């Protein structure tokens, strides 16, 4: 999945500001974009819940660019708010040592914004998790920026 981030959503879903932008318009645009992100997360959770309703031991994976750091409410919704239940997902990137657990690097530092969540039934099958961030750079620091930009996200691999 990809959950969009760093955007403003103006009235009627427009991504361009009105001709006379007020501070209230800007605040509303921020609120709309946050709500849109929560709505995307809820839709992902609905799909997962449908599968769990059919099979409480369903083997499910939700992964992608969530544009959310660990602890963000968007991730909380996707993972499942009630952690102890069988329909809650497990973050397998937590298996990666903390000092190398990042999928992006930026001027503010390193962060995990790409995530892999698996159903509890799959956890015993996960044997290897790796974030390929050894050569990851902040794309703004690339000498060919803005003309040639390598991916600013590290690839993630895992073995089931």
């Amino acid at each position: 999945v990809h959950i969009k981030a760093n955007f403003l959503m103006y009235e009627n879903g427009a991504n361009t500001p009105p001709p006379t932008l007020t501070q209230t318009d800007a605040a509303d645009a921020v609120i709309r974009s946050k709500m849109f992100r929560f709505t995307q997360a809820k839709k992902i959770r609905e799909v997962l819940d449908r599968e769990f309703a059919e099979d409480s031991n369903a083997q499910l994976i939700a992964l992608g660019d969530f544009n959310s750091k660990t602890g963000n409410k968007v991730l909380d919704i996707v993972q499942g708010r009630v952690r102890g239940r069988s329909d809650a997902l497990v973050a397998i990137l937590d298996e990666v040592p903390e000092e190398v657990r990042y999928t992006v690097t930026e001027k503010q530092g390193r962060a995990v914004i790409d995530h892999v969540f698996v159903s509890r039934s799959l956890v015993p099958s996960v044997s290897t998790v790796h974030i390929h961030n050894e050569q990851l750079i902040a794309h703004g620091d690339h000498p060919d920026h803005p003309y040639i930009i390598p991916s600013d996200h590290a690839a993630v691999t895992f073995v089931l």
Side-chain angles (χ1 to χ4, degrees), residues 6 10 22 25 32 39-40 47 55 65 79 88 98 109 116 122 125 137 142 147 150 160:
N6 297 325
Y10 296 98
T22 67
D25 293 333
R32 278 189 202 90
T39 301
Q40 289 177 304
V47 170
D55 178 1
D65 179 2
Q79 256 188 292
E98 195 169 336
V116 180
L122 278 178
S125 301
I137 61 169
H142 193 279
Y147 305 106
L160 297 175

Side-chain angles (χ1 to χ4, degrees), residues 58-78:
Q59 295 184 329
L60 303 174
I61 301 170
L63 58 86
D65 179 2
F66 289 82
N67 280 304
S68 300
K69 294 179 181 175
T70 303
N72 185 286
K73 293 299 180 194
V74 166
L75 300 179
D76 199 32
I77 292 168
V78 172

Side-chain angles (χ1 to χ4, degrees), residues 10-115:
Y10 296 98
E11 199 166 1
N12 299 324
N15 59 3
T16 55
T20 55
L21 178 68
T22 67
Q23 294 293 347
T24 301
D25 293 333
D28 283 344
V30 169
I31 292 166
R32 278 189 202 90
S33 67
K34 295 288 184 191
M35 294 303 294
F36 183 71
R37 286 175 46 77
F38 288 139
T39 301
Q40 289 177 304
K42 181 182 174 213
K43 181 63 178 174
I44 295 164
R45 188 66 235 184
E46 288 171 351
V47 170
L48 294 165
D49 284 346
R50 256 194 321 270
E51 294 299 318
F52 279 121
E54 289 184 23
D55 178 1
S56 62
N57 290 315
Q59 295 184 329
L60 303 174
I61 301 170
L63 58 86
D65 179 2
F66 289 82
N67 280 304
S68 300
K69 294 179 181 175
T70 303
N72 185 286
K73 293 299 180 194
V74 166
L75 300 179
D76 199 32
I77 292 168
V78 172
Q79 256 188 292
R81 297 206 30 94
V82 186
R83 295 283 194 259
R85 293 175 38 147
S86 63
D87 59 356
L89 301 179
V90 177
I92 66 170
L93 293 187
D94 289 352
E95 293 183 21
V96 175
E98 195 169 336
E99 64 273 8
V100 292
R101 188 184 316 146
Y102 60 94
T103 62
V104 295
T105 183
E106 45 199 29
K107 290 186 190 310
Q108 302 92 325
R110 297 172 172 172
V112 175
I113 64 169
D114 307 283
H115 301 272

